[in-house]
């Protein structure tokens, strides 16, 4: 895919979305397509970033447009690449 981007045959935004998919998947520990508070907090902790439960909920609410309490890949991409 990187080769296609460098050759100009794959749009840069598609390449960025693919990279963001990898980021999302690193947070989605149970691979169910949703990132919940537990997963978010654990992943940040592994990176040496410690957030309170309240801070984690605020982060989720920034992305959680359907108010499910979790962040889906689609919600994540919509926030990262607003139209």
């Amino acid at each position: 895919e990187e080769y296609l981007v460098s050759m100009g045959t794959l749009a840069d935004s598609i390449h960025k979305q693919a990279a963001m998919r990898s980021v999302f998947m690193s947070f989605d520990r149970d691979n169910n397509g949703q990132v919940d508070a537990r997963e978010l907090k654990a992943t940040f902790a592994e990176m040496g970033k410690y957030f309170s439960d309240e801070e984690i909920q605020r982060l989720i609410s920034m992305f959680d447009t359907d108010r499910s309490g979790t962040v889906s890949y689609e919600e994540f991409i919509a926030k990262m690449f607003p139209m």
Side-chain angles (χ1 to χ4, degrees):
E1 199 170 281
E2 289 179 26
Y3 173 78
L4 294 175
V5 170
S6 68
M7 297 304 294
T9 58
L10 187 62
D12 190 44
S13 66
I14 292 173
H15 176 69
K16 287 178 184 175
Q17 286 183 15
M20 297 299 352
R21 178 85 162 151
S22 178
V23 170
F24 181 85
M25 290 171 61
S26 70
F27 283 89
D28 183 17
R29 294 167 164 250
D30 61 7
N31 296 313
N32 70 349
Q34 304 285 322
V35 174
D36 63 26
R38 180 188 50 78
E39 292 170 316
L40 193 60
K41 192 169 189 174
T43 304
F44 277 128
E46 283 183 3
M47 293 187 271
K49 307 289 184 191
Y50 300 95
F51 296 100
S52 69
D53 290 342
E54 183 178 286
E55 290 169 317
I56 292 294
Q57 286 304 321
R58 270 187 280 168
L59 283 170
I60 288 176
S61 69
M62 291 171 59
F63 289 83
D64 183 20
T65 57
D66 69 0
R67 298 181 181 212
S68 65
T70 62
V71 178
S72 69
Y73 175 69
E74 291 76 17
E75 289 169 324
F76 178 71
I77 288 298
K79 189 71 167 182
M80 298 305 292
F81 298 96
M83 295 263 170

